[in-house]
Every structure is written in structure tokens, then in C-alpha cells.
């Protein structure tokens, strides 16, 4: 009798182990490596959570994510200069992909989202009850007021902030760039373009510069920094107060593209000149992506209505349909409009 019970127990144990082995073999585990702009952190977190559920249910893959948020210039240079491998590269300025990654590191890219530059603050900021679209530059220039922007050598929000301040010269007819930028840093206008040296120096404690725009959020929230130039979507996501800037300078309006184009900037870190243009985000899968098949599934998910809904929920405008350039992969052709 004892022998029979023992045999039954052993049989049950073997069945459990066997079932575990069978089930385990059906579900793969893969880790997607994603280099993305800091301003994409919030929507990408939600997108990844939803894709993980989709992949497990429909693709039989348990997906984990290795995210590296940074300025977009830095994100691209991790691939091109440091030789790091990524499955997805998503940047806040799509032109960085054709300028720095095509043709050696990728052969296609997709334009998928837009944004605009605002000036964000809290009720703790000095003169928070006075600042508006007509006097913001006067408020920022006042003694005791501090403001910040991200490093133009690493982050498009940084060089776009400088473009906004230079465009403000033309719009308001006042030397705003000189008062806010040249007086406080070694960034300067040479008569034809803005020059951002490779090593940026801050001359006083009025201006704070950080590697990416989201690094400044905590400083403003804590009250240690009064104002910063940031994307509208990020200000909304963090519940910050902000003022919208005129369309002639906020880099949002596609009809103002020629007007924006009056301003260009030389980026010391890359040696490239970038012309001001409406803000458009871009994404690609590098040629040497470690998990290319799954990366394409994620990209397809991002570019679908599911991705559009995630961005809408996070206060960011989505380009519909997304616009693709280059040797567009078959896997995403149904989700995009192919332009070249």
C-alpha cells in the first residue's frame, strides 16, 4: 500500500515538472533595448506596459525593456560613436536620424509625433502671477530670477530653446538673445547663426543647464529654479504651470517653417548646423538591432492606433498617419505613409 502511494506521488511530481517544462518552452523571454528622448519617458512607459501584455498574449513572448532616456543627440551618438546596440532609437528631432545614422546605422526612419516649446514654472516661481506671452523675456531677465534649458550639445530641447530666444529677437524687436543667453553663457550669435561651443560655460547662477530637459523638472518643482524651457507635453504630464509662446517662435506651426528657418545653430558636439524647423519626433530600428523581429513588432505597435491613443492620453500630438522615409520595412508599411 505504501509503495503504491509513493508511486502515485512520484507520478504526480513528474507530471507537474513535465507540464512546467512544456509551458516554459512555449514562452520566450526577450529584452528590448530602447534609446529614447527624455521627453518620451512617460508615453513610452505606458506604451511598453501595453505592448508587453500584447506580446505575451499574441506573440508568446515575455518582453522586458532596457530603457535609456537621454538627450536625442546623445541617444544617436551612443550608436554612432560608442558602438552601443539598440533595438529602437526614438528622438525628439527626426533630422538627427538622416543626418547622423543614415546610411551606415539605419536605412529608414518614421516621423510620428509633434510638440511645441513652452516656459514652465510653479506657483513658487518668482513673478509667477505676472508672467505672460508678452513679457516673459522681461521676467526672465529680472534680478534674482533663475531659468534653465537643456544642453544643446546633447538635447534638441536645448538647441530649440536657443532658437526660440533668437526668434524672439525678430518677433518682439528687442535684443532678447543677448540679454538672456550671451550675457549669461558662452553661447553666442555670430551674425549668421547661433554657436553652441562643445564646452558650454555658464557665467553666473542665473542660468542652469542640464543634459536633458527632464533633468530640470525636479528643480522647478522644488522651487530651486524659477522657469525652464520645455516641451508642452512634458509640462502637462508633470502638472506644471506654463505659458504658451506665439506661433512665430514656439516651433509648433508647420505654416511658419520658412520664418523659423531664419535661425540656425552650430552644435559643437557634432560639428553640424541645424536649421530651426517645426518640432517632429522620429524613430528607427538600427541595422544591428539585437532583437530586430521583436523591435519591428514594437515599432508597428507604436505606429498603430494604440500608439496614437497612448500619446493622446499623455498630451502629445501624434502624426496620423505616421510618415516613413527610406527603405521602409514591409512589417510597418500598413501603418505608415511612405514618402521616400
Amino acid at each position: 500500500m505504501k509503495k503504491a502511494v509513493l508511486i502515485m506521488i512520484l507520478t504526480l511530481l513528474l507530471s507537474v515538472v513535465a507540464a512546467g517544462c512544456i509551458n516554459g518552452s512555449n514562452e520566450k523571454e526577450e529584452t528590448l533595448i530602447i534609446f529614447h528622448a527624455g521627453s518620451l519617458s512617460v508615453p513610452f512607459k505606458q506604451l511598453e506596459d501595453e505592448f508587453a501584455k500584447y506580446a505575451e498574449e499574441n506573440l508568446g513572448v515575455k518582453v522586458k525593456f532596457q530603457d535609456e532616456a537621454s538627450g536625442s543627440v546623445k541617444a544617436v551618438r551612443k550608436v554612432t560613436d560608442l558602438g552601443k546596440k539598440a533595438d529602437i532609437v526614438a528622438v525628439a528631432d527626426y533630422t538627427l536620424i538622416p543626418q547622423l545614422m543614415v546610411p551606415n546605422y539605419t536605412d529608414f526612419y518614421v516621423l510620428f509625433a509633434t510638440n511645441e516649446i513652452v516656459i514652465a514654472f510653479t506657483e513658487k516661481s518668482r513673478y509667477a502671477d505676472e508672467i505672460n506671452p508678452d513679457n516673459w523675456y522681461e521676467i526672465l531677465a529680472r534680478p534674482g530670477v533663475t531659468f534653465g534649458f537643456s544642453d544643446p550639445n546633447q538635447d534638441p530641447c536645448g538647441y530649440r530653446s536657443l532658437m526660440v530666444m533668437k526668434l524672439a529677437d525678430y518677433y518682439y524687436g528687442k535684443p532678447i538673445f543677448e540679454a538672456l543667453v550671451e550675457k549669461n553663457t558662452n553661447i553666442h550669435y555670430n551674425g549668421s547663426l547661433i554657436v553652441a561651443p562643445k564646452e558650454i560655460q555658464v557665467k553666473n547662477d542665473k542660468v542652469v543647464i542640464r543634459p536633458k530637459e527632464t533633468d530640470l523638472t525636479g528643480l522647478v518643482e522644488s522651487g530651486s529654479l524659477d522657469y525652464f524651457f520645455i516641451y508642452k507635453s512634458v509640462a502637462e504630464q508633470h502638472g506644471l504651470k506654463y505659458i504658451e509662446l506665439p506661433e512665430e517662435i514656439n516651433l509648433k506651426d508647420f505654416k511658419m517653417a520658412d520664418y523659423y528657418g531664419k535661425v540656425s545653430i552650430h552644435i559643437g558636439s557634432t560639428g553640424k548646423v541645424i536649421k530651426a524647423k517645426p518640432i517632429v519626433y522620429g524613430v528607427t530600428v538600427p541595422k544591428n538591432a539585437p532583437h530586430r523581429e521583436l523591435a519591428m513588432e514594437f515599432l508597428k505597435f507604436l505606429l498603430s492606433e494604440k500608439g496614437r491613443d497612448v500619446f493622446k492620453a499623455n498630451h502629445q500630438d501624434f502624426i496620423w498617419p505616421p510618415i516613413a522615409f527610406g527603405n521602409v520595412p514591409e512589417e510597418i508599411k500598413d501603418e505608415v505613409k511612405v514618402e521616400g
Side-chain angles (χ1 to χ4, degrees), residues 7-20:
I7 290 171
M8 285 176 65
I9 293 170
L10 286 171
T11 303
L12 282 168
L13 285 171
L14 286 170
S15 299
V16 171
V17 170

Side-chain angles (χ1 to χ4, degrees), residues 18-321:
C21 289
I22 292 168
N23 290 337
S25 64
N26 285 342
E27 189 176 83
K28 298 186 297 181
E29 282 194 12
E30 289 191 30
T31 299
L32 281 178
I33 304 166
I34 301 182
F35 296 169
H36 65 75
S39 57
L40 290 172
S41 295
V42 174
F44 263 42
K45 176 64 173 69
Q46 183 179 338
L47 192 76
E48 288 166 5
D49 289 344
E50 294 189 14
F51 179 74
K53 184 178 179 183
Y54 167 83
E56 194 161 4
E57 293 175 355
N58 297 277
L59 306 176
V61 182
K62 190 169 185 178
V63 186
K64 294 181 179 178
F65 295 91
Q66 181 181 319
D67 289 281
E68 293 189 23
S70 68
S72 294
V73 177
K74 186 176 181 181
V76 168
R77 294 185 72 199
K78 286 177 188 176
V79 176
T80 61
D81 295 7
L82 303 181
K84 297 182 75 172
K85 291 185 178 180
D87 294 301
I88 297 284
V89 176
V91 293
D93 183 352
Y94 82 90
T95 64
L96 295 172
I97 300 174
Q99 193 175 62
L100 300 175
M101 294 186 72
V102 176
N104 294 334
Y105 304 94
T106 191
D107 56 5
F108 82 98
Y109 53 98
V110 184
L111 285 55
F112 69 96
T114 63
N115 225 319
E116 66 181 277
I117 297 291
V118 300
I119 298 173
F121 57 99
T122 71
E123 67 280 351
K124 291 181 268 188
S125 303
R126 293 173 180 85
Y127 309 111
D129 58 342
E130 291 184 39
I131 193 166
N132 62 53
D134 297 319
N135 70 3
W136 61 268
Y137 53 91
E138 295 173 353
I139 299 290
L140 297 190
R142 285 182 184 176
V145 174
T146 58
F147 70 94
F149 52 88
S150 55
D151 184 353
N153 282 307
Q154 300 187 50
D155 186 32
C157 194
Y159 57 70
R160 285 167 172 156
S161 300
L162 296 170
M163 291 168 173
V164 164
M165 286 183 272
K166 188 60 192 173
L167 284 167
D169 280 6
Y170 305 124
Y171 181 74
Y172 297 98
K174 297 180 180 180
I176 294 165
F177 188 85
E178 178 186 351
L180 297 181
V181 179
E182 293 180 332
K183 187 177 177 181
N184 301 303
T185 75
N186 64 341
I187 301 167
H188 61 280
Y189 185 72
N190 69 3
S192 58
L193 48 79
I194 302 166
V195 177
K198 191 172 183 179
E199 299 295 331
I200 292 176
Q201 297 168 3
V202 176
K203 299 176 181 178
N204 50 52
D205 58 4
K206 185 175 187 64
V207 171
V208 175
I209 299 175
R210 291 289 183 268
K212 59 182 185 293
E213 76 286 343
T214 48
D215 294 337
L216 295 161
T217 306
L219 297 179
V220 171
E221 288 174 331
S222 69
S224 57
L225 183 68
D226 292 315
Y227 300 93
F228 72 131
F229 289 85
I230 188 67
Y231 297 120
K232 181 179 177 180
S233 65
V234 178
E236 290 267 12
Q237 289 157 14
H238 289 270
L240 295 169
K241 293 177 177 292
Y242 62 88
I243 59 160
E244 292 185 299
L245 299 169
E247 290 185 346
E248 288 83 354
I249 68 174
N250 68 4
L251 303 181
K252 174 189 178 181
D253 193 345
F254 283 83
K255 297 191 295 294
M256 300 299 299
D258 289 342
Y259 186 86
Y260 299 155
K262 293 195 295 186
V263 172
S264 295
I265 184 169
H266 180 271
I267 305 296
S269 62
T270 64
K272 302 287 186 180
V273 172
I274 298 175
K275 181 187 285 190
K277 62 182 71 67
I279 297 167
V280 179
Y281 287 62
V283 61
T284 190
V285 174
K287 289 180 177 180
N288 65 347
H291 311 97
R292 188 173 180 84
E293 186 177 340
L294 188 61
M296 285 297 174
E297 289 287 350
F298 179 83
L299 182 57
K300 188 161 71 171
F301 194 85
L302 163 64
L303 301 174
S304 71
E305 289 186 13
K306 297 182 184 71
R308 180 179 64 173
D309 291 345
V310 167
F311 273 73
K312 184 178 179 181
N314 288 284
H315 313 284
Q316 188 161 1
D317 291 335
F318 204 79
I319 295 173
W320 194 257

